Amino acid sequence: MTRVYNFSAGPSALPEAVLQQAQQEMLDWRGSGMSVMEMSHRGKQFSSIAAELEADLRDLMRIPENYRVLFLQGGASAQFSFIPQNILGLKTKACYVKTGAWSEKAIKDAQTYCETIVSANSESSHFTTIPDVASWVCDSQAAYLHYTSNETIHGVEFNTTPNSKGLPLVCDMSSNILSRPIDVNEFGLIYAGSQKNMGAAGVTLVIVRDDLLGQCLKTVPPVFNYTEQVKNQSMLNTPTTYSWYLMGLVLKWLQEQGGVTAIEQCNIVKSAKLYHAIDNSTLYRNPVEIVSRSRMNVPFILADDSLDKAFLTAAEMNGFNELKGHRSVGGMRASIYNAMPESGVDALISFMQEFERTH
Ligand SMILES: *Cc1c(COP(=O)(O)O)cnc(C)c1O
């Protein structure tokens, strides 16, 4: 068996130790005589998996008592529509910061439910910058301010939590959650899909402050009504049990690595090495302004795009997979989430340097 270095943006590489544990427990989860996939979600075994999952997440992110943690379905994409429907209340508008493809989608979907005010927009820089927070225009009558902390496609990331000027701050953290410490108290709502930094696809995490609950539109299906799901521990319907279990294993692995503060140091080192290699080459280039570069998704273009195909073919032959950039941006993209070891980044850099030397 050979495992490649997988640079996919999502679903993405999982820690090998997690896959091995899942393999060991596949047929018989801890003496239960069953696979987790076969267990009732109401039984005591799965209940213990669910309880530990929430406790470990609360521990890793230091989630305060006045926040509820939901594990839903439909991906972060469903939340683009369900956030306004759940928390607008009597308000009719919401503020959005447009920094790339994902925030653009969030805005487009919210427009069905409210007036969206674009508080800041980096489109004129082709989404290679984060607009200076001092210049953001927020409407005090808005229900919330939404931003995307890491733009997975454009490779731009907020390096601090922005000041929301009194509005509840709502954040799509799908592609950088658990990669750096944040203070949950600064947020009204955080959401993220599981398949980038927390496990396999199938779980959508929503962390929501208590005071934002209880105002969901009646037209929303109960499974997407936060208040209903809080009452039912996210089990109003059958949850994606195996994905919950895998997320639990990833969180335990992260605790073993020393938690979010320790993994942040790894992420700083890995991304700095890769950007340094790109900046010091004549073949590769990253267009993002330095302070806004993502530690998770590193897009780069080749000076001569007729070499793209040869680059990708040679990469795969050498065990570096999923490096093709998103179709809307072109070029290459290396996604280096928590699970990518530093050795994978080192090996990629060596490969890139060798390719440059021979082309
Ligand atoms: C991947 C991603 C999404 C979409 O996630 P789905 O699970 O496919 O709905 C949304 N936002 C960001 C920032 C992402 O990286």
Side-chain angles (χ1 to χ4, degrees):
M1 182 199 67
T2 332
R3 284 189 43 87
V4 298
Y5 285 118
N6 174 6
F7 294 93
S8 171
S12 47
L14 286 164
E16 208 164 289
V18 164
L19 294 174
Q20 272 160 358
Q21 189 176 347
Q23 181 182 43
Q24 269 168 24
E25 297 178 337
M26 176 62 76
L27 297 182
D28 175 10
W29 183 79
R30 303 184 198 173
S32 66
M34 281 184 262
S35 171
V36 173
M37 276 182 253
E38 304 169 301
M39 289 173 184
S40 164
H41 59 296
R42 310 271 180 213
K44 75 174 188 305
Q45 285 142 342
F46 189 77
S47 298
S48 75
I49 290 173
E52 258 188 70
L53 170 63
E54 178 170 344
D56 289 340
L57 187 74
R58 283 186 174 275
D59 167 58
L60 280 163
M61 293 184 72
R62 303 193 193 294
I63 300 173
E65 279 302 309
N66 60 324
Y67 287 77
R68 298 303 116 220
V69 178
L70 295 171
F71 302 96
L72 305 178
Q73 297 182 47
S77 301
Q79 294 307 318
F80 295 161
S81 301
F82 289 117
I83 287 167
Q85 294 181 83
N86 268 276
I87 69 169
L88 273 172
L90 296 173
K91 302 244 162 89
T92 57
K93 40 192 169 180
C95 292
Y96 280 79
V97 181
K98 190 162 153 185
T99 49
W102 286 114
S103 48
E104 213 165 17
K105 283 200 170 166
I107 294 168
K108 186 172 160 286
D109 290 357
Q111 278 166 350
T112 309
Y113 307 99
C114 61
E115 180 191 339
T116 54
I117 297 159
V118 177
S119 295
N121 184 352
S122 58
E123 204 165 359
S124 61
S125 76
H126 303 285
F127 299 128
T128 58
T129 56
I130 298 285
D132 182 10
V133 180
S135 71
W136 295 12
V137 183
C138 294
D139 184 326
S140 62
Q141 293 309 304
Y144 57 86
L145 172 68
H146 178 284
Y147 79 110
T148 306
S149 54
N150 182 69
E151 289 280 2
T152 322
I153 293 173
H154 289 88
V156 292
E157 182 173 11
F158 282 77
N159 54 37
T160 55
T161 302
N163 181 330
S164 61
K165 307 188 179 166
L167 297 176
L169 189 58
V170 173
C171 183
D172 178 358
M173 252 179 228
S174 291
S175 53
N176 71 346
I177 192 162
L178 295 169
S179 71
R180 54 164 77 216
I182 53 143
D183 180 358
V184 175
N185 285 297
E186 294 181 88
F187 297 86
L189 188 150
I190 292 167
Y191 66 109
S194 51
Q195 73 273 23
K196 274 72 184 245
N197 229 353
M198 298 188 288
V203 192
T204 314
L205 175 68
V206 175
I207 302 168
V208 55
R209 208 173 54 211
D210 283 339
D211 61 285
L212 297 174
L213 294 169
Q215 43 183 355
C216 185
L217 298 182
K218 299 232 177 330
T219 46
V220 171
V223 291
F224 290 112
N225 179 322
Y226 302 154
T227 312
E228 290 304 314
Q229 285 286 25
V230 165
K231 283 188 207 152
N232 289 277
Q233 280 94 44
S234 308
M235 293 198 199
L236 205 53
N237 68 321
T238 313
T240 51
T241 49
Y242 200 73
S243 294
W244 287 33
Y245 158 75
L246 285 174
M247 190 192 279
L249 295 187
V250 170
L251 298 188
K252 293 273 185 228
W253 170 85
L254 185 51
Q255 285 171 329
E256 281 161 25
Q257 307 308 302
V260 176
T261 311
I263 209 80
E264 179 187 38
Q265 291 312 310
C266 300
N267 291 329
I268 289 171
V269 170
K270 287 185 310 189
S271 56
K273 277 184 170 179
L274 186 50
Y275 284 116
H276 183 262
I278 290 168
D279 291 343
N280 284 282
S281 84
T282 47
L283 180 60
Y284 311 108
R285 195 173 74 82
N286 170 279
V288 178
E289 75 167 343
I290 289 173
V291 291
S292 305
R293 284 175 165 178
S294 169
R295 292 176 187 163
M296 300 282 101
N297 310 97
V298 182
F300 58 93
I301 46 179
L302 274 58
D304 175 2
D305 66 10
S306 71
L307 286 175
D308 284 5
K309 232 185 166 142
F311 179 88
L312 287 167
T313 306
E316 281 204 19
M317 273 172 52
N318 286 277
F320 305 102
N321 287 44
E322 309 271 5
L323 283 165
K324 193 170 168 31
H326 190 270
R327 59 191 182 279
S328 65
V329 177
M332 310 298 153
R333 172 176 51 172
S335 295
I336 50 173
Y337 299 114
N338 289 352
M340 175 59 63
E342 191 177 338
S343 60
V345 173
D346 290 340
L348 174 65
I349 291 169
S350 300
F351 165 77
M352 287 168 64
Q353 287 168 343
E354 180 61 14
F355 185 86
E356 180 168 3
R357 198 182 60 74
T358 51
H359 291 80

